[in-house]
Amino acid sequence: MQFGVSKAKQDALRARMKRFGIREKDLKEKFIRSSGKGGQRANKVSTCVYLKHTPTGIEVKCEKERLQALNRFLARRRLVNKIEARILGRQSEERKRIEKIRRQKRKRSKRAKQKMLREKKKRAEKKRGRKGYPELYEEY
């Protein structure tokens, strides 16, 4: 089966599928018309790929690229990632990324906010103090 990617990538995907016991006959594949940009091409050609792994019930939909063959490859890779995360019981890379963003956006505690504001005030005072002595900073 050709996916429009290099042979090395195809072989790596097949190896991962074999390692997790995913067989092609266990996959239910449908082709749907993609949404979004693309105009006539997107409206005429079914480039979106829907995959379902019947033993686990995991479903994947991929409409990232304009080529159906490439979307088939990407959908299989995404499916393997999901099954791997479930089997190994570890967080997927996507989950880790989302958690990192959530931690970054989390609201500061009152104590942390007060500490940060104190430091800002100290810095401002230091800068304000420099304004009073411009002769120290003049060029010679």
Side-chain angles (χ1 to χ4, degrees), residues 5-17 73:
V5 293
S6 69
K7 184 157 174 39
K9 286 185 179 182
Q10 287 183 34
D11 292 342
L13 179 65
R14 283 198 185 96
R16 284 184 69 200
M17 287 175 74
F73 172 79

PDB file of all heavy atoms in Angstrom, residues 5-17 73:
ATOM      1  N   VAL A   5       4.465   8.838   0.998  1.00  0.00           N
ATOM      2  CA  VAL A   5       5.571   9.258   1.867  1.00  0.00           C
ATOM      3  C   VAL A   5       6.752   8.328   1.598  1.00  0.00           C
ATOM      4  O   VAL A   5       6.624   7.337   0.884  1.00  0.00           O
ATOM      5  CB  VAL A   5       5.192   9.218   3.371  1.00  0.00           C
ATOM      6  CG1 VAL A   5       4.142  10.244   3.684  1.00  0.00           C
ATOM      7  CG2 VAL A   5       4.749   7.855   3.791  1.00  0.00           C
ATOM      8  N   SER A   6       7.886   8.627   2.192  1.00  0.00           N
ATOM      9  CA  SER A   6       9.081   7.818   1.939  1.00  0.00           C
ATOM     10  C   SER A   6       8.903   6.389   2.442  1.00  0.00           C
ATOM     11  O   SER A   6       8.118   6.122   3.349  1.00  0.00           O
ATOM     12  CB  SER A   6      10.294   8.454   2.615  1.00  0.00           C
ATOM     13  OG  SER A   6      10.168   8.355   4.017  1.00  0.00           O
ATOM     14  N   LYS A   7       9.653   5.487   1.845  1.00  0.00           N
ATOM     15  CA  LYS A   7       9.577   4.073   2.215  1.00  0.00           C
ATOM     16  C   LYS A   7       9.966   3.864   3.676  1.00  0.00           C
ATOM     17  O   LYS A   7       9.372   3.040   4.366  1.00  0.00           O
ATOM     18  CB  LYS A   7      10.488   3.258   1.300  1.00  0.00           C
ATOM     19  CG  LYS A   7      10.409   1.763   1.545  1.00  0.00           C
ATOM     20  CD  LYS A   7      10.841   0.997   0.337  1.00  0.00           C
ATOM     21  CE  LYS A   7      10.934  -0.486   0.548  1.00  0.00           C
ATOM     22  NZ  LYS A   7       9.913  -1.083   1.371  1.00  0.00           N
ATOM     23  N   ALA A   8      10.935   4.639   4.149  1.00  0.00           N
ATOM     24  CA  ALA A   8      11.379   4.517   5.537  1.00  0.00           C
ATOM     25  C   ALA A   8      10.234   4.838   6.502  1.00  0.00           C
ATOM     26  O   ALA A   8      10.033   4.135   7.509  1.00  0.00           O
ATOM     27  CB  ALA A   8      12.562   5.437   5.796  1.00  0.00           C
ATOM     28  N   LYS A   9       9.465   5.892   6.196  1.00  0.00           N
ATOM     29  CA  LYS A   9       8.341   6.260   7.059  1.00  0.00           C
ATOM     30  C   LYS A   9       7.256   5.187   7.026  1.00  0.00           C
ATOM     31  O   LYS A   9       6.662   4.867   8.056  1.00  0.00           O
ATOM     32  CB  LYS A   9       7.758   7.609   6.638  1.00  0.00           C
ATOM     33  CG  LYS A   9       8.614   8.782   7.018  1.00  0.00           C
ATOM     34  CD  LYS A   9       7.933  10.074   6.680  1.00  0.00           C
ATOM     35  CE  LYS A   9       8.780  11.264   7.084  1.00  0.00           C
ATOM     36  NZ  LYS A   9       8.117  12.530   6.795  1.00  0.00           N
ATOM     37  N   GLN A  10       7.001   4.640   5.822  1.00  0.00           N
ATOM     38  CA  GLN A  10       5.998   3.585   5.714  1.00  0.00           C
ATOM     39  C   GLN A  10       6.424   2.354   6.513  1.00  0.00           C
ATOM     40  O   GLN A  10       5.609   1.755   7.226  1.00  0.00           O
ATOM     41  CB  GLN A  10       5.787   3.202   4.253  1.00  0.00           C
ATOM     42  CG  GLN A  10       5.035   4.236   3.459  1.00  0.00           C
ATOM     43  CD  GLN A  10       4.797   3.782   2.035  1.00  0.00           C
ATOM     44  OE1 GLN A  10       4.596   2.607   1.779  1.00  0.00           O
ATOM     45  NE2 GLN A  10       4.824   4.728   1.109  1.00  0.00           N
ATOM     46  N   ASP A  11       7.688   1.989   6.395  1.00  0.00           N
ATOM     47  CA  ASP A  11       8.187   0.817   7.120  1.00  0.00           C
ATOM     48  C   ASP A  11       8.128   1.035   8.631  1.00  0.00           C
ATOM     49  O   ASP A  11       7.782   0.123   9.384  1.00  0.00           O
ATOM     50  CB  ASP A  11       9.623   0.494   6.690  1.00  0.00           C
ATOM     51  CG  ASP A  11       9.692   0.013   5.241  1.00  0.00           C
ATOM     52  OD1 ASP A  11       8.644  -0.400   4.695  1.00  0.00           O
ATOM     53  OD2 ASP A  11      10.794   0.068   4.653  1.00  0.00           O
ATOM     54  N   ALA A  12       8.453   2.242   9.065  1.00  0.00           N
ATOM     55  CA  ALA A  12       8.402   2.553  10.499  1.00  0.00           C
ATOM     56  C   ALA A  12       6.971   2.447  11.011  1.00  0.00           C
ATOM     57  O   ALA A  12       6.727   1.908  12.097  1.00  0.00           O
ATOM     58  CB  ALA A  12       8.960   3.947  10.752  1.00  0.00           C
ATOM     59  N   LEU A  13       6.017   2.951  10.220  1.00  0.00           N
ATOM     60  CA  LEU A  13       4.607   2.864  10.622  1.00  0.00           C
ATOM     61  C   LEU A  13       4.150   1.417  10.678  1.00  0.00           C
ATOM     62  O   LEU A  13       3.488   1.006  11.632  1.00  0.00           O
ATOM     63  CB  LEU A  13       3.728   3.657   9.657  1.00  0.00           C
ATOM     64  CG  LEU A  13       2.226   3.615   9.950  1.00  0.00           C
ATOM     65  CD1 LEU A  13       1.929   4.282  11.286  1.00  0.00           C
ATOM     66  CD2 LEU A  13       1.440   4.273   8.839  1.00  0.00           C
ATOM     67  N   ARG A  14       4.506   0.627   9.665  1.00  0.00           N
ATOM     68  CA  ARG A  14       4.123  -0.798   9.659  1.00  0.00           C
ATOM     69  C   ARG A  14       4.705  -1.528  10.869  1.00  0.00           C
ATOM     70  O   ARG A  14       4.040  -2.360  11.479  1.00  0.00           O
ATOM     71  CB  ARG A  14       4.587  -1.455   8.360  1.00  0.00           C
ATOM     72  CG  ARG A  14       3.703  -1.104   7.200  1.00  0.00           C
ATOM     73  CD  ARG A  14       3.878  -2.078   6.036  1.00  0.00           C
ATOM     74  NE  ARG A  14       3.093  -1.618   4.919  1.00  0.00           N
ATOM     75  CZ  ARG A  14       3.575  -0.885   3.908  1.00  0.00           C
ATOM     76  NH1 ARG A  14       4.853  -0.568   3.879  1.00  0.00           N
ATOM     77  NH2 ARG A  14       2.802  -0.498   2.926  1.00  0.00           N
ATOM     78  N   ALA A  15       5.956  -1.202  11.218  1.00  0.00           N
ATOM     79  CA  ALA A  15       6.602  -1.837  12.372  1.00  0.00           C
ATOM     80  C   ALA A  15       5.858  -1.496  13.661  1.00  0.00           C
ATOM     81  O   ALA A  15       5.632  -2.362  14.513  1.00  0.00           O
ATOM     82  CB  ALA A  15       8.059  -1.405  12.458  1.00  0.00           C
ATOM     83  N   ARG A  16       5.468  -0.216  13.811  1.00  0.00           N
ATOM     84  CA  ARG A  16       4.722   0.193  15.013  1.00  0.00           C
ATOM     85  C   ARG A  16       3.365  -0.492  15.062  1.00  0.00           C
ATOM     86  O   ARG A  16       2.917  -0.911  16.134  1.00  0.00           O
ATOM     87  CB  ARG A  16       4.538   1.710  15.029  1.00  0.00           C
ATOM     88  CG  ARG A  16       5.798   2.452  15.410  1.00  0.00           C
ATOM     89  CD  ARG A  16       5.577   3.922  15.525  1.00  0.00           C
ATOM     90  NE  ARG A  16       4.746   4.226  16.679  1.00  0.00           N
ATOM     91  CZ  ARG A  16       4.072   5.368  16.828  1.00  0.00           C
ATOM     92  NH1 ARG A  16       4.112   6.298  15.911  1.00  0.00           N
ATOM     93  NH2 ARG A  16       3.357   5.576  17.910  1.00  0.00           N
ATOM     94  N   MET A  17       2.706  -0.593  13.899  1.00  0.00           N
ATOM     95  CA  MET A  17       1.399  -1.257  13.857  1.00  0.00           C
ATOM     96  C   MET A  17       1.540  -2.725  14.259  1.00  0.00           C
ATOM     97  O   MET A  17       0.729  -3.248  15.018  1.00  0.00           O
ATOM     98  CB  MET A  17       0.776  -1.135  12.460  1.00  0.00           C
ATOM     99  CG  MET A  17       0.265   0.259  12.135  1.00  0.00           C
ATOM    100  SD  MET A  17      -0.325   0.460  10.458  1.00  0.00           S
ATOM    101  CE  MET A  17      -1.879  -0.428  10.521  1.00  0.00           C
ATOM    102  N   PHE A  73      -2.063   7.885   5.501  1.00  0.00           N
ATOM    103  CA  PHE A  73      -0.863   7.638   6.305  1.00  0.00           C
ATOM    104  C   PHE A  73      -0.958   8.345   7.650  1.00  0.00           C
ATOM    105  O   PHE A  73      -0.721   7.742   8.709  1.00  0.00           O
ATOM    106  CB  PHE A  73       0.375   8.111   5.530  1.00  0.00           C
ATOM    107  CG  PHE A  73       1.636   8.067   6.349  1.00  0.00           C
ATOM    108  CD1 PHE A  73       2.307   6.881   6.548  1.00  0.00           C
ATOM    109  CD2 PHE A  73       2.146   9.220   6.926  1.00  0.00           C
ATOM    110  CE1 PHE A  73       3.468   6.834   7.307  1.00  0.00           C
ATOM    111  CE2 PHE A  73       3.298   9.186   7.678  1.00  0.00           C
ATOM    112  CZ  PHE A  73       3.958   7.995   7.868  1.00  0.00           C
TER     113      PHE A  73
END
